[in-house]
Amino acid sequence: MQGFGNRSWCAGITLAVVLVIAGCAAPRGPAPVEDRGTMTRAPNAAPGGPLITTDASGKPLPGIENYGKPGYYAVRPGDTIRRIGNETGQSWQNIVRWNNLENPDLIEVGQVLRVVPPVGPATAVATAPAPSFEGAVTKPVTPPSVVVPAAPASAAVGKPPVTASPSAPAASSGDEDLGWIWPAHGTLLAGFDDAKNKGFDIGGKAGDAVLAAADGRVVYAGAGLRGYGNLIILKHNNTYLTAYAHNQTLLVKEDQSVQKGQKIAEMGNSDADRVKLHFEIRRQGKPVDPARYLPSR
């Protein structure tokens, strides 16, 4: 009897344990789900980080539909419009215009901004000035017969005196006497060829100084003109423009006034096969041979 009693007691304990386990395994109804909206992975964050596509109120972040596309930038913590402009080689004023920002000081982490000029009919409205040489000239292009002086290049090189005053140019007459200087000190790699090369290619090392060839105003500073890389265009009067292409770093901003000999950029190889400065002089928007204007070396 005692053995039977012990077996009954053990059987009772075993049944109690089974019931407890069964009770723990029994279904309890669905666990509450936390709705995290559309957060999956964060722009410009480390792989596996959260992507924030909505703001605190649940509204989609501006421009999020363009995330990951070429020509767009996802705002990171600590970014400002000016810092984004410096990183992308664009003026912050253009970025404000391209994105229709009412207050450039109010941008959100994860917001996606356009950092290249828009294309199509809206370009002229969205970007001013447009990234073109002709768009920076207020007077119409003169006929080709007027653009290129009749004198041979060898004779015209000495025409502008090296010591001429930079205040001499008369915009209305298109006077060529701007007191031009060479924009870089490197070796001339390629001269002007109306069919193949619209200016001079000047060699050098990355970081070499690029100088303003004459007094003027910056009408473009950016990388929106294909084939020129990081480009600066200076307007000297209503007749003359100069262009400085393939730079590594741009040191001036649009609408800034510069003086002849001022360092405006550092030489680089953006959109080029080697480190060099591509320099153009444009008269009424048409490229002309810089040898006619620069002093002889």
Side-chain angles (χ1 to χ4, degrees):
M1 287 297 290
Q2 185 175 359
F4 176 78
N6 289 338
R7 285 197 299 272
S8 299
W9 181 82
C10 291
I13 293 297
T14 302
L15 178 62
V17 171
V18 170
L19 291 175
V20 170
I21 294 175
C24 292
R28 295 186 177 181
V33 177
E34 182 179 358
D35 184 7
R36 295 182 180 272
T38 54
M39 296 180 64
T40 54
R41 207 171 52 90
N44 294 339
L51 171 59
I52 305 171
T53 62
T54 58
D55 60 17
S57 64
K59 295 181 180 179
L61 286 168
I64 193 64
E65 67 278 4
N66 296 315
Y67 174 65
K69 295 181 181 179
Y72 290 88
Y73 179 95
V75 178
R76 297 174 295 190
D79 274 343
T80 65
I81 286 294
R82 289 166 179 80
R83 179 180 296 175
I84 294 171
N86 289 336
E87 287 191 13
T88 59
Q90 304 287 6
S91 74
W92 66 268
Q93 295 96 332
N94 271 347
I95 294 176
V96 169
R97 282 196 295 267
W98 297 337
N99 294 279
N100 297 316
L101 300 179
E102 295 182 1
N103 186 346
D105 294 323
L106 292 179
I107 55 176
E108 302 177 71
V109 173
Q111 178 177 354
V112 179
L113 300 173
R114 173 184 285 276
V115 291
V116 296
V119 295
T123 302
V125 177
T127 60
S132 66
F133 299 98
E134 290 76 8
V137 182
T138 57
K139 299 175 73 175
V141 176
T142 54
S145 59
V146 178
V147 169
V148 182
S154 58
V157 167
K159 191 174 286 186
V162 178
T163 57
S165 168
S167 61
S172 59
S173 65
D175 191 345
E176 298 171 2
D177 192 5
L178 283 166
W180 302 93
I181 65 169
W182 282 75
H185 299 297
T187 303
L188 183 63
L189 302 175
F192 178 83
D193 183 328
D194 195 35
K196 298 179 181 178
N197 193 24
K198 304 300 183 181
F200 277 180
D201 289 344
I202 304 171
K205 302 186 301 294
D208 282 355
V210 174
L211 311 176
D215 292 352
R217 179 174 61 87
V218 181
V219 293
Y220 182 76
L225 198 61
R226 181 174 297 178
Y228 286 84
N230 293 324
L231 170 69
I232 291 174
I233 302 176
L234 300 183
K235 182 174 182 178
H236 303 287
N237 53 34
N238 286 338
T239 302
Y240 287 101
L241 299 171
T242 51
Y244 311 76
H246 306 311
N247 300 292
Q248 171 180 276
T249 306
L250 306 182
L251 303 178
V252 292
K253 299 179 179 179
E254 291 177 17
D255 297 325
Q256 179 177 337
S257 295
V258 298
Q259 296 180 336
K260 178 176 68 175
Q262 178 178 337
K263 182 178 178 180
I264 59 174
E266 293 180 349
M267 195 180 295
N269 62 346
S270 57
D271 215 355
D273 57 355
R274 60 161 293 169
V275 174
K276 64 182 177 181
L277 169 67
H278 176 74
F279 172 71
E280 295 183 12
I281 297 179
R282 295 211 172 199
R283 186 177 190 275
Q284 299 286 22
K286 181 177 177 63
V288 293
D289 189 351
R292 298 179 180 272
Y293 304 92
L294 299 178
S296 58
R297 283 181 164 181

PDB file of all heavy atoms in Angstrom, residues 58-92:
ATOM      1  N   GLY A  58       4.422  62.239 -39.353  1.00  0.00           N
ATOM      2  CA  GLY A  58       4.005  61.172 -40.246  1.00  0.00           C
ATOM      3  C   GLY A  58       3.917  61.569 -41.703  1.00  0.00           C
ATOM      4  O   GLY A  58       3.604  60.744 -42.559  1.00  0.00           O
ATOM      5  N   LYS A  59       4.222  62.829 -42.031  1.00  0.00           N
ATOM      6  CA  LYS A  59       4.178  63.268 -43.422  1.00  0.00           C
ATOM      7  C   LYS A  59       5.459  62.834 -44.136  1.00  0.00           C
ATOM      8  O   LYS A  59       6.535  62.828 -43.540  1.00  0.00           O
ATOM      9  CB  LYS A  59       4.050  64.795 -43.495  1.00  0.00           C
ATOM     10  CG  LYS A  59       2.740  65.323 -42.934  1.00  0.00           C
ATOM     11  CD  LYS A  59       2.685  66.849 -43.059  1.00  0.00           C
ATOM     12  CE  LYS A  59       1.377  67.400 -42.510  1.00  0.00           C
ATOM     13  NZ  LYS A  59       1.351  68.882 -42.615  1.00  0.00           N
ATOM     14  N   PRO A  60       5.371  62.492 -45.422  1.00  0.00           N
ATOM     15  CA  PRO A  60       6.583  62.102 -46.160  1.00  0.00           C
ATOM     16  C   PRO A  60       7.593  63.246 -46.182  1.00  0.00           C
ATOM     17  O   PRO A  60       7.230  64.419 -46.329  1.00  0.00           O
ATOM     18  CB  PRO A  60       6.063  61.803 -47.573  1.00  0.00           C
ATOM     19  CG  PRO A  60       4.605  61.526 -47.387  1.00  0.00           C
ATOM     20  CD  PRO A  60       4.160  62.376 -46.235  1.00  0.00           C
ATOM     21  N   LEU A  61       8.863  62.919 -46.001  1.00  0.00           N
ATOM     22  CA  LEU A  61       9.916  63.929 -46.067  1.00  0.00           C
ATOM     23  C   LEU A  61      10.005  64.490 -47.482  1.00  0.00           C
ATOM     24  O   LEU A  61       9.845  63.756 -48.465  1.00  0.00           O
ATOM     25  CB  LEU A  61      11.262  63.326 -45.672  1.00  0.00           C
ATOM     26  CG  LEU A  61      11.453  63.050 -44.185  1.00  0.00           C
ATOM     27  CD1 LEU A  61      12.688  62.192 -43.970  1.00  0.00           C
ATOM     28  CD2 LEU A  61      11.571  64.342 -43.398  1.00  0.00           C
ATOM     29  N   PRO A  62      10.264  65.789 -47.616  1.00  0.00           N
ATOM     30  CA  PRO A  62      10.349  66.394 -48.950  1.00  0.00           C
ATOM     31  C   PRO A  62      11.396  65.709 -49.820  1.00  0.00           C
ATOM     32  O   PRO A  62      12.525  65.483 -49.397  1.00  0.00           O
ATOM     33  CB  PRO A  62      10.760  67.841 -48.641  1.00  0.00           C
ATOM     34  CG  PRO A  62      10.312  68.085 -47.233  1.00  0.00           C
ATOM     35  CD  PRO A  62      10.463  66.764 -46.539  1.00  0.00           C
ATOM     36  N   GLY A  63      11.010  65.351 -51.031  1.00  0.00           N
ATOM     37  CA  GLY A  63      11.939  64.791 -52.003  1.00  0.00           C
ATOM     38  C   GLY A  63      12.302  63.343 -51.777  1.00  0.00           C
ATOM     39  O   GLY A  63      13.167  62.816 -52.475  1.00  0.00           O
ATOM     40  N   ILE A  64      11.666  62.646 -50.816  1.00  0.00           N
ATOM     41  CA  ILE A  64      12.082  61.280 -50.486  1.00  0.00           C
ATOM     42  C   ILE A  64      11.914  60.338 -51.677  1.00  0.00           C
ATOM     43  O   ILE A  64      12.603  59.324 -51.787  1.00  0.00           O
ATOM     44  CB  ILE A  64      11.284  60.746 -49.264  1.00  0.00           C
ATOM     45  CG1 ILE A  64      11.937  59.465 -48.719  1.00  0.00           C
ATOM     46  CG2 ILE A  64       9.832  60.544 -49.619  1.00  0.00           C
ATOM     47  CD1 ILE A  64      13.321  59.667 -48.172  1.00  0.00           C
ATOM     48  N   GLU A  65      11.008  60.699 -52.621  1.00  0.00           N
ATOM     49  CA  GLU A  65      10.822  59.843 -53.796  1.00  0.00           C
ATOM     50  C   GLU A  65      12.056  59.843 -54.708  1.00  0.00           C
ATOM     51  O   GLU A  65      12.209  58.971 -55.566  1.00  0.00           O
ATOM     52  CB  GLU A  65       9.597  60.309 -54.596  1.00  0.00           C
ATOM     53  CG  GLU A  65       9.731  61.663 -55.265  1.00  0.00           C
ATOM     54  CD  GLU A  65       9.447  62.826 -54.328  1.00  0.00           C
ATOM     55  OE1 GLU A  65       9.213  62.577 -53.122  1.00  0.00           O
ATOM     56  OE2 GLU A  65       9.449  63.973 -54.796  1.00  0.00           O
ATOM     57  N   ASN A  66      12.966  60.808 -54.501  1.00  0.00           N
ATOM     58  CA  ASN A  66      14.183  60.886 -55.317  1.00  0.00           C
ATOM     59  C   ASN A  66      15.402  60.299 -54.612  1.00  0.00           C
ATOM     60  O   ASN A  66      16.524  60.411 -55.124  1.00  0.00           O
ATOM     61  CB  ASN A  66      14.470  62.346 -55.693  1.00  0.00           C
ATOM     62  CG  ASN A  66      13.385  62.937 -56.563  1.00  0.00           C
ATOM     63  OD1 ASN A  66      12.932  62.300 -57.501  1.00  0.00           O
ATOM     64  ND2 ASN A  66      12.952  64.151 -56.235  1.00  0.00           N
ATOM     65  N   TYR A  67      15.190  59.695 -53.448  1.00  0.00           N
ATOM     66  CA  TYR A  67      16.314  59.143 -52.695  1.00  0.00           C
ATOM     67  C   TYR A  67      17.071  58.103 -53.520  1.00  0.00           C
ATOM     68  O   TYR A  67      16.484  57.197 -54.106  1.00  0.00           O
ATOM     69  CB  TYR A  67      15.818  58.505 -51.393  1.00  0.00           C
ATOM     70  CG  TYR A  67      16.917  57.779 -50.639  1.00  0.00           C
ATOM     71  CD1 TYR A  67      17.988  58.479 -50.113  1.00  0.00           C
ATOM     72  CD2 TYR A  67      16.889  56.395 -50.482  1.00  0.00           C
ATOM     73  CE1 TYR A  67      19.001  57.822 -49.445  1.00  0.00           C
ATOM     74  CE2 TYR A  67      17.889  55.735 -49.810  1.00  0.00           C
ATOM     75  CZ  TYR A  67      18.950  56.456 -49.291  1.00  0.00           C
ATOM     76  OH  TYR A  67      19.963  55.810 -48.636  1.00  0.00           O
ATOM     77  N   GLY A  68      18.382  58.244 -53.585  1.00  0.00           N
ATOM     78  CA  GLY A  68      19.221  57.300 -54.302  1.00  0.00           C
ATOM     79  C   GLY A  68      19.423  57.630 -55.768  1.00  0.00           C
ATOM     80  O   GLY A  68      20.242  57.004 -56.429  1.00  0.00           O
ATOM     81  N   LYS A  69      18.689  58.624 -56.298  1.00  0.00           N
ATOM     82  CA  LYS A  69      18.838  58.965 -57.715  1.00  0.00           C
ATOM     83  C   LYS A  69      20.070  59.855 -57.907  1.00  0.00           C
ATOM     84  O   LYS A  69      20.421  60.642 -57.025  1.00  0.00           O
ATOM     85  CB  LYS A  69      17.585  59.703 -58.219  1.00  0.00           C
ATOM     86  CG  LYS A  69      16.319  58.873 -58.214  1.00  0.00           C
ATOM     87  CD  LYS A  69      15.149  59.689 -58.744  1.00  0.00           C
ATOM     88  CE  LYS A  69      13.862  58.896 -58.726  1.00  0.00           C
ATOM     89  NZ  LYS A  69      12.711  59.693 -59.211  1.00  0.00           N
ATOM     90  N   PRO A  70      20.724  59.765 -59.070  1.00  0.00           N
ATOM     91  CA  PRO A  70      21.865  60.655 -59.351  1.00  0.00           C
ATOM     92  C   PRO A  70      21.421  62.109 -59.340  1.00  0.00           C
ATOM     93  O   PRO A  70      20.330  62.445 -59.809  1.00  0.00           O
ATOM     94  CB  PRO A  70      22.303  60.225 -60.768  1.00  0.00           C
ATOM     95  CG  PRO A  70      21.764  58.844 -60.944  1.00  0.00           C
ATOM     96  CD  PRO A  70      20.491  58.788 -60.153  1.00  0.00           C
ATOM     97  N   GLY A  71      22.261  62.967 -58.778  1.00  0.00           N
ATOM     98  CA  GLY A  71      21.941  64.387 -58.733  1.00  0.00           C
ATOM     99  C   GLY A  71      21.133  64.810 -57.522  1.00  0.00           C
ATOM    100  O   GLY A  71      20.706  65.967 -57.444  1.00  0.00           O
ATOM    101  N   TYR A  72      20.921  63.895 -56.584  1.00  0.00           N
ATOM    102  CA  TYR A  72      20.162  64.214 -55.377  1.00  0.00           C
ATOM    103  C   TYR A  72      20.987  63.892 -54.136  1.00  0.00           C
ATOM    104  O   TYR A  72      21.852  63.017 -54.164  1.00  0.00           O
ATOM    105  CB  TYR A  72      18.832  63.452 -55.342  1.00  0.00           C
ATOM    106  CG  TYR A  72      17.845  63.936 -56.373  1.00  0.00           C
ATOM    107  CD1 TYR A  72      17.844  63.413 -57.651  1.00  0.00           C
ATOM    108  CD2 TYR A  72      16.922  64.940 -56.073  1.00  0.00           C
ATOM    109  CE1 TYR A  72      16.951  63.859 -58.610  1.00  0.00           C
ATOM    110  CE2 TYR A  72      16.027  65.387 -57.016  1.00  0.00           C
ATOM    111  CZ  TYR A  72      16.035  64.848 -58.293  1.00  0.00           C
ATOM    112  OH  TYR A  72      15.155  65.299 -59.227  1.00  0.00           O
ATOM    113  N   TYR A  73      20.702  64.602 -53.061  1.00  0.00           N
ATOM    114  CA  TYR A  73      21.489  64.473 -51.823  1.00  0.00           C
ATOM    115  C   TYR A  73      20.534  64.330 -50.651  1.00  0.00           C
ATOM    116  O   TYR A  73      19.601  65.138 -50.485  1.00  0.00           O
ATOM    117  CB  TYR A  73      22.361  65.715 -51.653  1.00  0.00           C
ATOM    118  CG  TYR A  73      23.217  65.731 -50.399  1.00  0.00           C
ATOM    119  CD1 TYR A  73      24.533  65.290 -50.421  1.00  0.00           C
ATOM    120  CD2 TYR A  73      22.701  66.198 -49.189  1.00  0.00           C
ATOM    121  CE1 TYR A  73      25.321  65.307 -49.287  1.00  0.00           C
ATOM    122  CE2 TYR A  73      23.476  66.214 -48.032  1.00  0.00           C
ATOM    123  CZ  TYR A  73      24.787  65.774 -48.091  1.00  0.00           C
ATOM    124  OH  TYR A  73      25.567  65.792 -46.959  1.00  0.00           O
ATOM    125  N   ALA A  74      20.750  63.303 -49.816  1.00  0.00           N
ATOM    126  CA  ALA A  74      19.944  63.099 -48.611  1.00  0.00           C
ATOM    127  C   ALA A  74      20.613  63.809 -47.435  1.00  0.00           C
ATOM    128  O   ALA A  74      21.782  63.579 -47.148  1.00  0.00           O
ATOM    129  CB  ALA A  74      19.791  61.607 -48.318  1.00  0.00           C
ATOM    130  N   VAL A  75      19.864  64.671 -46.782  1.00  0.00           N
ATOM    131  CA  VAL A  75      20.398  65.496 -45.693  1.00  0.00           C
ATOM    132  C   VAL A  75      20.802  64.619 -44.515  1.00  0.00           C
ATOM    133  O   VAL A  75      20.035  63.753 -44.079  1.00  0.00           O
ATOM    134  CB  VAL A  75      19.360  66.540 -45.245  1.00  0.00           C
ATOM    135  CG1 VAL A  75      19.898  67.364 -44.075  1.00  0.00           C
ATOM    136  CG2 VAL A  75      19.004  67.453 -46.415  1.00  0.00           C
ATOM    137  N   ARG A  76      22.005  64.862 -43.990  1.00  0.00           N
ATOM    138  CA  ARG A  76      22.534  64.113 -42.851  1.00  0.00           C
ATOM    139  C   ARG A  76      22.562  65.001 -41.612  1.00  0.00           C
ATOM    140  O   ARG A  76      22.511  66.231 -41.724  1.00  0.00           O
ATOM    141  CB  ARG A  76      23.942  63.616 -43.166  1.00  0.00           C
ATOM    142  CG  ARG A  76      23.994  62.651 -44.330  1.00  0.00           C
ATOM    143  CD  ARG A  76      25.407  62.297 -44.718  1.00  0.00           C
ATOM    144  NE  ARG A  76      26.133  63.454 -45.223  1.00  0.00           N
ATOM    145  CZ  ARG A  76      27.319  63.376 -45.813  1.00  0.00           C
ATOM    146  NH1 ARG A  76      27.915  62.221 -45.960  1.00  0.00           N
ATOM    147  NH2 ARG A  76      27.917  64.468 -46.255  1.00  0.00           N
ATOM    148  N   PRO A  77      22.652  64.415 -40.433  1.00  0.00           N
ATOM    149  CA  PRO A  77      22.723  65.231 -39.213  1.00  0.00           C
ATOM    150  C   PRO A  77      23.882  66.213 -39.283  1.00  0.00           C
ATOM    151  O   PRO A  77      24.992  65.867 -39.685  1.00  0.00           O
ATOM    152  CB  PRO A  77      22.940  64.185 -38.102  1.00  0.00           C
ATOM    153  CG  PRO A  77      22.341  62.927 -38.652  1.00  0.00           C
ATOM    154  CD  PRO A  77      22.595  62.960 -40.129  1.00  0.00           C
ATOM    155  N   GLY A  78      23.622  67.464 -38.913  1.00  0.00           N
ATOM    156  CA  GLY A  78      24.653  68.496 -38.910  1.00  0.00           C
ATOM    157  C   GLY A  78      24.794  69.245 -40.220  1.00  0.00           C
ATOM    158  O   GLY A  78      25.541  70.218 -40.305  1.00  0.00           O
ATOM    159  N   ASP A  79      24.077  68.815 -41.273  1.00  0.00           N
ATOM    160  CA  ASP A  79      24.173  69.482 -42.579  1.00  0.00           C
ATOM    161  C   ASP A  79      23.516  70.855 -42.555  1.00  0.00           C
ATOM    162  O   ASP A  79      22.542  71.088 -41.827  1.00  0.00           O
ATOM    163  CB  ASP A  79      23.498  68.633 -43.659  1.00  0.00           C
ATOM    164  CG  ASP A  79      24.420  67.584 -44.243  1.00  0.00           C
ATOM    165  OD1 ASP A  79      25.650  67.715 -44.058  1.00  0.00           O
ATOM    166  OD2 ASP A  79      23.927  66.650 -44.886  1.00  0.00           O
ATOM    167  N   THR A  80      24.046  71.767 -43.358  1.00  0.00           N
ATOM    168  CA  THR A  80      23.415  73.044 -43.665  1.00  0.00           C
ATOM    169  C   THR A  80      23.421  73.198 -45.176  1.00  0.00           C
ATOM    170  O   THR A  80      24.153  72.498 -45.878  1.00  0.00           O
ATOM    171  CB  THR A  80      24.163  74.223 -43.028  1.00  0.00           C
ATOM    172  OG1 THR A  80      25.483  74.320 -43.622  1.00  0.00           O
ATOM    173  CG2 THR A  80      24.294  74.064 -41.519  1.00  0.00           C
ATOM    174  N   ILE A  81      22.619  74.117 -45.681  1.00  0.00           N
ATOM    175  CA  ILE A  81      22.584  74.345 -47.126  1.00  0.00           C
ATOM    176  C   ILE A  81      23.959  74.751 -47.632  1.00  0.00           C
ATOM    177  O   ILE A  81      24.409  74.292 -48.687  1.00  0.00           O
ATOM    178  CB  ILE A  81      21.545  75.431 -47.472  1.00  0.00           C
ATOM    179  CG1 ILE A  81      20.127  74.864 -47.340  1.00  0.00           C
ATOM    180  CG2 ILE A  81      21.748  75.944 -48.886  1.00  0.00           C
ATOM    181  CD1 ILE A  81      19.798  73.778 -48.344  1.00  0.00           C
ATOM    182  N   ARG A  82      24.663  75.575 -46.875  1.00  0.00           N
ATOM    183  CA  ARG A  82      25.990  76.014 -47.317  1.00  0.00           C
ATOM    184  C   ARG A  82      26.980  74.850 -47.341  1.00  0.00           C
ATOM    185  O   ARG A  82      27.795  74.736 -48.241  1.00  0.00           O
ATOM    186  CB  ARG A  82      26.479  77.139 -46.413  1.00  0.00           C
ATOM    187  CG  ARG A  82      25.708  78.439 -46.626  1.00  0.00           C
ATOM    188  CD  ARG A  82      25.955  79.456 -45.514  1.00  0.00           C
ATOM    189  NE  ARG A  82      25.222  80.682 -45.750  1.00  0.00           N
ATOM    190  CZ  ARG A  82      23.931  80.842 -45.487  1.00  0.00           C
ATOM    191  NH1 ARG A  82      23.233  79.830 -44.992  1.00  0.00           N
ATOM    192  NH2 ARG A  82      23.332  81.983 -45.744  1.00  0.00           N
ATOM    193  N   ARG A  83      26.908  73.979 -46.331  1.00  0.00           N
ATOM    194  CA  ARG A  83      27.812  72.829 -46.302  1.00  0.00           C
ATOM    195  C   ARG A  83      27.503  71.882 -47.463  1.00  0.00           C
ATOM    196  O   ARG A  83      28.418  71.353 -48.109  1.00  0.00           O
ATOM    197  CB  ARG A  83      27.670  72.087 -44.978  1.00  0.00           C
ATOM    198  CG  ARG A  83      28.570  70.853 -44.866  1.00  0.00           C
ATOM    199  CD  ARG A  83      28.380  70.164 -43.526  1.00  0.00           C
ATOM    200  NE  ARG A  83      28.785  71.017 -42.422  1.00  0.00           N
ATOM    201  CZ  ARG A  83      28.638  70.693 -41.132  1.00  0.00           C
ATOM    202  NH1 ARG A  83      28.098  69.517 -40.807  1.00  0.00           N
ATOM    203  NH2 ARG A  83      29.020  71.528 -40.180  1.00  0.00           N
ATOM    204  N   ILE A  84      26.222  71.676 -47.750  1.00  0.00           N
ATOM    205  CA  ILE A  84      25.843  70.814 -48.872  1.00  0.00           C
ATOM    206  C   ILE A  84      26.337  71.422 -50.185  1.00  0.00           C
ATOM    207  O   ILE A  84      26.826  70.719 -51.065  1.00  0.00           O
ATOM    208  CB  ILE A  84      24.312  70.608 -48.893  1.00  0.00           C
ATOM    209  CG1 ILE A  84      23.874  69.816 -47.652  1.00  0.00           C
ATOM    210  CG2 ILE A  84      23.876  69.896 -50.173  1.00  0.00           C
ATOM    211  CD1 ILE A  84      22.373  69.752 -47.471  1.00  0.00           C
ATOM    212  N   GLY A  85      26.231  72.749 -50.300  1.00  0.00           N
ATOM    213  CA  GLY A  85      26.740  73.415 -51.501  1.00  0.00           C
ATOM    214  C   GLY A  85      28.232  73.207 -51.680  1.00  0.00           C
ATOM    215  O   GLY A  85      28.716  72.934 -52.779  1.00  0.00           O
ATOM    216  N   ASN A  86      28.982  73.306 -50.582  1.00  0.00           N
ATOM    217  CA  ASN A  86      30.433  73.103 -50.655  1.00  0.00           C
ATOM    218  C   ASN A  86      30.773  71.664 -51.040  1.00  0.00           C
ATOM    219  O   ASN A  86      31.688  71.415 -51.821  1.00  0.00           O
ATOM    220  CB  ASN A  86      31.082  73.444 -49.312  1.00  0.00           C
ATOM    221  CG  ASN A  86      31.072  74.931 -49.015  1.00  0.00           C
ATOM    222  OD1 ASN A  86      31.007  75.751 -49.933  1.00  0.00           O
ATOM    223  ND2 ASN A  86      31.116  75.296 -47.746  1.00  0.00           N
ATOM    224  N   GLU A  87      30.027  70.703 -50.498  1.00  0.00           N
ATOM    225  CA  GLU A  87      30.310  69.290 -50.771  1.00  0.00           C
ATOM    226  C   GLU A  87      29.980  68.906 -52.210  1.00  0.00           C
ATOM    227  O   GLU A  87      30.634  68.047 -52.796  1.00  0.00           O
ATOM    228  CB  GLU A  87      29.522  68.391 -49.803  1.00  0.00           C
ATOM    229  CG  GLU A  87      30.049  68.397 -48.381  1.00  0.00           C
ATOM    230  CD  GLU A  87      29.424  67.302 -47.531  1.00  0.00           C
ATOM    231  OE1 GLU A  87      28.777  66.405 -48.101  1.00  0.00           O
ATOM    232  OE2 GLU A  87      29.583  67.352 -46.307  1.00  0.00           O
ATOM    233  N   THR A  88      28.951  69.549 -52.785  1.00  0.00           N
ATOM    234  CA  THR A  88      28.509  69.177 -54.133  1.00  0.00           C
ATOM    235  C   THR A  88      29.040  70.108 -55.202  1.00  0.00           C
ATOM    236  O   THR A  88      28.769  69.897 -56.386  1.00  0.00           O
ATOM    237  CB  THR A  88      26.973  69.149 -54.194  1.00  0.00           C
ATOM    238  OG1 THR A  88      26.449  70.450 -53.844  1.00  0.00           O
ATOM    239  CG2 THR A  88      26.410  68.106 -53.232  1.00  0.00           C
ATOM    240  N   GLY A  89      29.781  71.155 -54.808  1.00  0.00           N
ATOM    241  CA  GLY A  89      30.328  72.086 -55.790  1.00  0.00           C
ATOM    242  C   GLY A  89      29.292  73.022 -56.386  1.00  0.00           C
ATOM    243  O   GLY A  89      29.496  73.578 -57.462  1.00  0.00           O
ATOM    244  N   GLN A  90      28.188  73.225 -55.690  1.00  0.00           N
ATOM    245  CA  GLN A  90      27.138  74.118 -56.174  1.00  0.00           C
ATOM    246  C   GLN A  90      27.004  75.308 -55.233  1.00  0.00           C
ATOM    247  O   GLN A  90      27.390  75.239 -54.063  1.00  0.00           O
ATOM    248  CB  GLN A  90      25.794  73.381 -56.247  1.00  0.00           C
ATOM    249  CG  GLN A  90      25.801  72.126 -57.096  1.00  0.00           C
ATOM    250  CD  GLN A  90      25.852  72.426 -58.580  1.00  0.00           C
ATOM    251  OE1 GLN A  90      25.984  73.575 -58.994  1.00  0.00           O
ATOM    252  NE2 GLN A  90      25.764  71.395 -59.396  1.00  0.00           N
ATOM    253  N   SER A  91      26.440  76.406 -55.731  1.00  0.00           N
ATOM    254  CA  SER A  91      26.155  77.526 -54.843  1.00  0.00           C
ATOM    255  C   SER A  91      24.896  77.205 -54.031  1.00  0.00           C
ATOM    256  O   SER A  91      23.957  76.588 -54.551  1.00  0.00           O
ATOM    257  CB  SER A  91      25.937  78.815 -55.647  1.00  0.00           C
ATOM    258  OG  SER A  91      24.689  78.796 -56.293  1.00  0.00           O
ATOM    259  N   TRP A  92      24.894  77.613 -52.780  1.00  0.00           N
ATOM    260  CA  TRP A  92      23.743  77.288 -51.941  1.00  0.00           C
ATOM    261  C   TRP A  92      22.487  78.006 -52.432  1.00  0.00           C
ATOM    262  O   TRP A  92      21.367  77.520 -52.282  1.00  0.00           O
ATOM    263  CB  TRP A  92      24.033  77.620 -50.477  1.00  0.00           C
ATOM    264  CG  TRP A  92      24.201  79.085 -50.167  1.00  0.00           C
ATOM    265  CD1 TRP A  92      25.353  79.798 -50.156  1.00  0.00           C
ATOM    266  CD2 TRP A  92      23.169  80.008 -49.801  1.00  0.00           C
ATOM    267  NE1 TRP A  92      25.118  81.102 -49.818  1.00  0.00           N
ATOM    268  CE2 TRP A  92      23.782  81.266 -49.593  1.00  0.00           C
ATOM    269  CE3 TRP A  92      21.787  79.899 -49.636  1.00  0.00           C
ATOM    270  CZ2 TRP A  92      23.068  82.400 -49.233  1.00  0.00           C
ATOM    271  CZ3 TRP A  92      21.070  81.022 -49.271  1.00  0.00           C
ATOM    272  CH2 TRP A  92      21.714  82.262 -49.066  1.00  0.00           C
TER     273      TRP A  92
END
